[in-house]
Amino acid sequence: MTPPDPATAAPTPDPAAPPLTGLRVLDLATLFAGPLAATLLGDFGADVVKVEHPRRPDPSRGHGPSKDGVGLWWKVLGRNKRTVTLDLSTPGGRTTLLRLVRTADVVVENFRPGTLEKWDLGWPELSAVNPRLVLARVTGFGQFGPYAHRPGFGTLAEAMSGFAALTGEPDAPPTLPPFGLADSIAGLTTAYAIMTALAARDRTGEGQVVDMALIEPILAVLGPHPTWYDQLGHVQPRTGNRSQNNAPRGTYRTADGTWVAVSTSAQSIAERVMVLVGRPDLIDAPWFATGEGRARHADVLDDAVGGWIARHTRADVLAAFEKAEAAVAPVQDVRDVMEDPQYQALSTVTTVDDPELGPLRMQNVLFRLSATPGSIRWAGRPHGADTEEVLTGLGLTPADLAELRAEGAL
């Protein structure tokens, strides 16, 4: 057998390279689910090119606190992304995007349905130049149906899905989360959907469209509520920190004015807790044998657990629960999280050197791989910082870039 010519042979893949090395993702999305999906892919080696409007950057650059005029949320959401500017509504912007699409594996967008089509950049046009493309379309309500063209945000998904109706005290209003819960769940789900579509492409050689609606993933994580309603007519009410499925469960105030959370989802844990707090007699009650039975007697159990915890400091509570092999955790704010020894052991929060802000800490990549780990190579870049590098990499000349700028496409 003639050995391959080293000058023409394909390079041998680096077995230690991040697993998504060689995957190119175009992130056309804003606020927040679509961009988060692209971030998760970038964390594990994908070349993510963030495409922003030349005059209207991703609004996440201005969301939340900033330092020296630099948005801190963007530093996290924009990490591991190269940033280019492109006005897709201009002829030059459209043509340039199609050139980018030819080199891409994935496009992530969250315009309202019909917007890409208005610019002649719908699925027929994109797949015509790249049949292997995966197009992930993230919207509030999906690509069809009576609500499809409404503006959609995570808050609406949290309300519509049943989440807000379940959250809060029984005699208080429905409660919305103070952070982007629905967007985050949809971002995680979109990354999974993209990888699923790419796996299908490996078999068929053809790309496809991912239709992700914010209102659906959050409904999925709420569990069997539709099935309960279908089979039993059961509608779960707001129960505060209590659960209808087990008890004791909730947050309890300690003697030094802090809080801990206790969970007893497993029968053995529930029994250990009652022994610990000095009420082993309750274990013999017939209703104690099931989580549902314990939930019906939550007042009795909360009195026992809450009363014991109220007589001890948080340190003593945590030590006693650990010794008893019972489930407990301190209720922590971000200050506690940053100092927590378990998070430190896992490197859950890491430090990234940033040219604009210097060392800054942020959440690390989402999970650990033993052989091909992900990493944060850089934090969110300035608006359009990589436009020339990315576009000249497509073969555009300085004269081409000047023409695009004159048109307002860059």
Side-chain angles (χ1 to χ4, degrees), residues 132 134 193-208:
R132 290 174 54 81
V134 170
I194 289 169
M195 297 309 299
T196 303
L198 290 171
R201 188 186 72 175
D202 288 344
R203 296 200 324 270
T204 67
E206 296 182 356
Q208 60 184 299

Side-chain angles (χ1 to χ4, degrees), residues 14 26 56 70 76 80 121 151 159 208 216 238 250 286 294 320 343-344 352:
D14 178 2
L26 303 183
R56 296 190 298 276
V70 178
V76 179
N80 292 335
L121 288 170
Q208 60 184 299
E216 292 183 304
R238 287 191 293 284
R294 296 197 306 275
Y343 281 129
Q344 289 179 348
V352 180

